[in-house]
Amino acid sequence: MKNDLIFDLRDIGVRYRKVASMPWKNNSFWALKQVSFQIFRGQILGLIGRNGAGKSTLLRVLAGIIRPDCGTCSRADVRITLQSANAGFDQRLTGRQNVMLKGLLLGMEKRQILRSMDRIMELADIGEFIDQPMMYYSSGMKARLGFSISYFVETDVILLDEALSPGDAAFKAKANELIKKKIQSHHTVVMASHSISNIQDLCDRVIHLEKGCSLEELPVEQSLQRYLQARGKRLPLDSKSPKSCLEEVSADR
Amino acid sequence: MLLKNLNLVLYRSAAELKSEATRTYAGYLWWILDPLLSLGVYYVAFNYIFHRKTEHFAVFLFSGIVVYRFFSGTVVRGAGSIIAGHSLMYYMYFHKILFPLSVVVVNLIKFLITLLLVIAVVWISGFRPTWSYLALPFLIGLVVLISTGVSLVCAALTPFFPDFQLLLSTILHLLIFLSGVFYEISKLTPRMQSIIRLNPLAVLIEQIRGILLYGQWPNLIFLLPGLLVSILLIVLGWWLIHKFNRYYPKLR
């Protein structure tokens, strides 16, 4: 089972075009230029790269939200969910309606969602706000509800867009714990993250994006080292306190 | 798959109707108040200021306004629906036809309720139901089809041409004058009549009035072009939205 091919990306390119620009002006921008790699079932893959390197766009291609403008992306017949801190809610609807809607959009059955509703509410811990329109929510509450919904969606592939830690410190710890457990359970995971320590802890492969291109794949440690070197930092693999340096690195994003 | 999407459209529409109602003091009452108020405005303008001499002008006007309002509401909200849904579609994949279709459902439910109001007003004014009422569902169906068709095409194209959304309100403003909402088409010059009757909406409004006020059976020959145009527009709109289904999330 380990060798099932889930994603097969060959020379993917994605171009954004500015709306309402005159045809004679060149207003397009290649967010991804040349990205190729394969992901097999059960792998946990980290995506690293600076802001604007194309990580979020790549996750959207993997999730099937956008189609690449060139190259081929073949995908096994699996359920894929994208988890992100700002989860795309309809602000005018209540939390409960949004849970239902999002569940349906993600392909769940109505009964299934109703069954998980209590657990979702318990995890999100937003009390009676669940029946208020979401425009009255604080951003922390939105993030918590978003996390809770996607946590309970049954899926084969998890795509994480910096979604490891929504909300306040207490919820952050809880969410981090849960997501790590979920990652380690059985899923195929692609996580875009700036947190070097998370990638080091969780991932068994790393893809390094640079200006829309995927660099040659190296083992995790070497790849992180290359990434940090490019930013003028070093990964002190054999220094006395690696943890403190890692925290410094992930804090300065 | 289709059933699931239908479920989704219905759920989203119901949620939207509910949330719309809870945002105002009068709530669901607005479904009736809104068309009545707009009837009031046009009645004052045309009856007292322009002194129109159409018989039973209030009923005449109301039946036209309600149909026109359903059309314009569906088209305007539909045109902006895919743009407005950007925050949702950027985070998960689903078919974008969901947006304009739920606009249609939301407006249709309000429309059906105001239609009951229209029929009530017609009866209060002393008209009696006739056998020709049997043709009413067919005509209402045609109104829904043409509105859906125009709405889908507008929804598919506005993300590419945002200016169109602004232009649309002017076009619809012109359309209310070209749809015979305020006047009887049959009293125009023959040349003008044939031009106005090119507009399927004008024909539909005229025929619905024929049923409600004069007990006339609709003229199928006049309705056929409208039916063909609606089906064409629905197919075109559906095809466009399907084609750009995974492209819309890239547009901002």
Side-chain angles (χ1 to χ4, degrees):
Chain A
M1 284 299 277
K2 186 84 183 170
N3 282 336
D4 287 3
L5 187 60
I6 302 277
F7 294 109
D8 187 4
L9 278 68
R10 278 160 211 255
D11 300 325
I12 294 289
V14 172
R15 175 168 55 174
Y16 287 98
R17 238 179 247 143
K18 201 169 159 285
V19 176
S21 64
M22 295 308 161
W24 55 87
K25 281 189 185 155
N26 179 23
N27 256 326
S28 65
F29 163 72
W30 288 92
L32 292 180
K33 289 169 197 147
Q34 201 167 37
V35 176
S36 311
F37 59 89
Q38 297 177 322
I39 302 174
F40 295 92
R41 194 181 299 274
Q43 288 187 331
I44 299 168
L45 185 122
L47 274 183
I48 51 176
R50 310 165 65 120
N51 288 327
K55 299 189 296 294
S56 296
T57 302
L58 182 54
L59 287 180
R60 297 217 145 74
V61 171
L62 293 176
I65 293 169
I66 56 183
R67 172 173 293 140
D69 293 277
C70 64
T72 55
C73 168
S74 42
R75 187 181 301 122
D77 184 24
V78 287
R79 293 168 298 178
I80 303 167
T81 46
L82 175 64
Q83 261 186 40
S84 170
N86 27 0
F89 287 114
D90 194 327
Q91 303 293 325
R92 298 162 306 161
L93 304 185
T94 67
R96 195 186 294 273
Q97 288 170 330
N98 264 304
V99 170
M100 197 70 200
L101 201 59
K102 223 173 128 82
L104 288 172
L105 285 170
L106 289 168
M108 287 168 82
E109 297 285 341
K110 210 164 177 173
R111 270 174 304 145
Q112 217 179 338
I113 304 167
L114 288 173
R115 238 183 291 132
S116 337
M117 189 68 88
D118 288 338
R119 281 182 294 164
I120 292 174
M121 278 162 60
E122 195 192 335
L123 178 57
D125 192 25
I126 54 174
E128 59 235 44
F129 268 92
I130 191 77
D131 287 313
Q132 295 287 322
M134 286 197 63
M135 50 193 162
Y136 302 130
Y137 284 31
S138 72
S139 46
M141 288 160 79
K142 272 180 217 164
R144 263 149 47 195
L145 188 61
F147 174 84
S148 311
I149 298 171
S150 17
Y151 182 73
F152 281 106
V153 173
E154 277 175 41
T155 182
D156 306 310
V157 179
I158 305 175
L159 306 175
L160 278 171
D161 196 357
E162 297 285 345
L164 278 178
S165 29
D168 55 19
F171 191 78
K172 236 175 227 185
K174 190 161 107 184
N176 232 333
E177 221 33 58
L178 285 173
I179 202 82
K180 277 182 186 168
K181 226 182 266 171
K182 196 169 179 182
I183 285 177
Q184 282 158 351
S185 59
H186 65 285
H187 295 94
T188 309
V189 182
V190 181
M191 50 187 281
S193 180
H194 289 284
S195 162
I196 299 294
S197 59
N198 269 332
I199 292 202
Q200 217 170 14
D201 286 352
L202 296 168
C203 299
D204 39 45
R205 283 176 61 195
V206 172
I207 296 286
H208 184 173
L209 289 183
E210 184 87 47
K211 290 179 183 153
C213 302
S214 55
L215 301 185
E216 182 203 356
E217 194 180 341
L218 299 173
V220 175
E221 295 295 336
Q222 288 174 35
S223 186
L224 288 175
Q225 220 154 14
R226 177 177 58 185
Y227 173 56
L228 292 173
Q229 252 161 21
R231 298 166 64 190
K233 295 247 164 54
R234 269 184 326 113
L235 184 67
L237 288 173
D238 41 16
S239 77
K240 273 166 252 160
S241 61
K243 209 69 190 168
S244 65
C245 181
L246 288 179
E247 256 134 42
E248 177 209 324
V249 165
S250 49
D252 81 344
R253 18 177 296 216
Chain B
M1 198 59 211
L2 193 69
L3 191 74
K4 217 171 219 176
N5 276 327
L6 189 72
N7 241 333
L8 205 54
V9 170
L10 292 180
Y11 186 83
R12 191 181 144 88
S13 312
E16 203 143 298
L17 284 170
K18 238 184 268 173
S19 87
E20 218 174 71
T22 51
R23 258 176 295 152
T24 51
Y25 285 107
Y28 292 108
L29 214 55
W30 273 114
W31 294 8
I32 294 174
L33 275 179
D34 207 19
L36 279 179
L37 286 176
S38 103
L39 167 67
V41 168
Y42 289 119
Y43 191 77
V44 168
F46 286 94
N47 204 45
Y48 295 112
I49 301 176
F50 295 120
H51 298 290
R52 285 213 65 89
K53 285 286 169 279
T54 309
E55 256 187 295
H56 307 293
F57 188 55
V59 191
F60 178 88
L61 194 58
F62 199 28
S63 49
I65 286 175
V66 164
V67 173
Y68 169 80
R69 278 174 58 95
F70 168 69
F71 177 82
S72 74
T74 309
V75 171
V76 168
R77 303 271 304 267
S81 63
I82 291 186
I83 298 179
H86 191 275
S87 66
L88 209 57
M89 66 172 128
Y90 199 55
Y91 294 103
M92 50 199 145
Y93 169 77
F94 50 89
H95 205 294
K96 311 307 175 280
I97 199 84
L98 167 70
F99 291 122
L101 278 192
S102 52
V103 168
V104 171
V105 173
V106 164
N107 279 300
L108 178 60
I109 289 168
K110 292 186 194 169
F111 178 48
L112 291 178
I113 286 169
T114 45
L115 270 178
L116 292 180
L117 188 67
V118 170
I119 291 178
V121 171
V122 166
W123 289 352
I124 288 167
S125 315
F127 297 95
R128 287 290 158 252
T130 60
W131 284 111
S132 62
Y133 271 42
L134 292 177
L136 217 45
F138 175 69
L139 289 182
I140 302 302
L142 264 180
V143 172
V144 175
L145 281 187
I146 189 95
S147 312
T148 307
V150 177
S151 180
L152 288 187
V153 172
C154 291
L157 295 179
T158 30
F160 297 97
F161 311 105
D163 310 51
F164 181 67
Q165 216 175 351
L166 299 172
L167 196 61
L168 195 61
S169 62
T170 310
I171 296 173
L172 287 169
H173 215 108
L174 176 66
L175 195 73
I176 194 172
F177 293 102
L178 296 181
S179 299
V181 173
F182 311 119
Y183 53 86
E184 285 167 88
I185 297 172
S186 53
K187 294 217 171 126
L188 301 172
T189 60
R191 194 179 139 69
M192 209 53 201
Q193 278 188 33
S194 49
I195 291 175
I196 297 276
R197 287 211 175 96
L198 289 177
N199 171 8
L201 199 62
V203 178
L204 281 165
I205 288 176
E206 191 182 28
Q207 309 262 348
I208 288 174
R209 271 183 190 142
I211 295 177
L212 291 176
L213 304 185
Y214 316 113
Q216 284 167 354
W217 285 92
N219 187 337
L220 289 177
I221 307 289
F222 280 160
L223 293 173
L224 204 61
L227 179 65
L228 292 180
V229 168
S230 342
I231 291 173
L232 207 75
L233 286 174
I234 288 176
V235 171
L236 177 68
W238 203 295
W239 179 76
L240 282 171
I241 292 174
H242 190 74
K243 187 171 159 58
F244 295 118
N245 196 14
R246 291 177 205 261
Y247 191 83
Y248 290 124
K250 289 207 299 186
L251 298 171
R252 308 232 193 195

